[in-house]
Amino acid sequence: MDIVSSKPSGLRARKRQETLERIAETGLRLFSRNGYEATTLDAIAEGAGISRRTFFHYFKSKEEILLDWQLRGFSASLRKAVLAQPAGKVPVEVVRDAMLMLSVGFRTQEFISIDRVLRSSETLKARKQATYGLHEQALYATLMERWPDPDRGATLRLVAMASLGAMRLAIEAWIQAGGDRPVDSFLHAAFDGLASEFGKPSR
């Protein structure tokens, strides 16, 4: 019975995830093409092939689509990449190399287009800032998982703060440059200064 009943549940979960991703991708496409303010919920619902009512089963507002884009898998992917780094590296090097791994998957034009939308209003800018705070907390928790020494807590929190700051500066510089150069070159430059500041031997 358990095996039989789990199949419909798994299918429903997969269909729900597919619908959520379709709504999000439709919203992001319309935001990039028409602008955030000019894009209505009805337009997103129609483009995703759902009703307005169904939209609210997945997102409370169109603003949440942008939040989903910022949060979608990043913290989980960064955690996995950080924990996968080989031993012998100091914390800031671990984070840098983990971020370099993730940067390979950046879709340049989509990233630049949506970042432009996020900068289009003070409300969206504030949400963007808040999201970085969530990423920082998640990164700190991951670093403590890798180096579970309470005495290193303050230093690892500082590494998380500084690393996310370096990533933000690198991405801003990359966007300002039009995304013509690989983002990893900007990440390397942003992390160069941090390496000397936090270059303590790992334990």
Side-chain angles (χ1 to χ4, degrees), residues 13-90:
R14 187 163 62 251
K15 285 183 175 296
R16 177 176 174 79
Q17 182 62 30
E18 289 172 354
T19 301
L20 185 147
E21 291 177 359
R22 187 170 71 253
I23 296 170
E25 289 171 1
T26 299
L28 293 173
R29 184 175 66 253
L30 292 175
F31 294 156
S32 298
R33 188 178 69 193
N34 304 326
Y36 177 76
E37 296 298 338
T39 300
T40 65
L41 290 179
D42 288 333
I44 296 172
E46 181 181 353
I50 60 170
S51 68
R52 181 186 175 93
R53 181 178 180 180
T54 299
F55 175 92
F56 289 107
H57 288 309
Y58 294 88
F59 297 99
K60 294 179 181 178
S61 66
K62 63 181 184 178
E63 184 179 318
E64 281 204 348
I65 292 177
L66 292 172
L67 183 62
D68 173 78
W69 177 80
Q70 279 191 289
L71 290 174
R72 192 190 308 163
F74 177 76
S75 290
S77 297
L78 183 57
R79 175 183 177 276
K80 184 177 180 181
V82 165
L83 296 179
Q85 293 300 308
K89 297 180 180 180
V90 296

Side-chain angles (χ1 to χ4, degrees), residues 82-196:
V82 165
L83 296 179
Q85 293 300 308
K89 297 180 180 180
V90 296
V92 71
E93 292 173 337
V94 165
V95 179
R96 179 200 63 198
D97 293 347
M99 288 182 175
L100 286 169
M101 284 177 58
L102 298 183
S103 72
V104 175
F106 279 16
R107 290 184 289 181
T108 303
Q109 291 310 314
E110 179 194 49
F111 197 102
I112 291 175
S113 296
I114 302 307
D115 186 79
R116 188 178 299 118
V117 173
L118 286 166
R119 295 168 184 268
S120 65
S121 77
E122 292 304 317
T123 299
L124 294 177
K125 285 179 184 178
R127 290 296 293 268
K128 181 181 178 181
Q129 294 296 107
T131 302
Y132 277 119
L134 296 176
H135 289 324
E136 180 187 306
Q137 293 172 22
L139 176 56
Y140 169 64
T142 301
L143 291 174
M144 287 299 296
E145 184 178 349
R146 178 162 177 144
W147 288 282
D149 180 355
D151 292 337
R152 301 192 70 176
T155 298
L156 293 178
R157 182 175 291 279
L158 189 56
V159 169
M161 294 170 63
S163 296
L164 265 296
M167 184 191 78
R168 291 171 63 181
L169 290 174
I171 289 175
E172 287 176 5
W174 173 63
I175 289 173
Q176 289 174 2
D180 294 333
R181 289 163 50 199
V183 69
D184 59 0
S185 64
F186 294 93
L187 282 168
H188 273 297
F191 271 89
D192 279 347
L194 294 182
S196 60

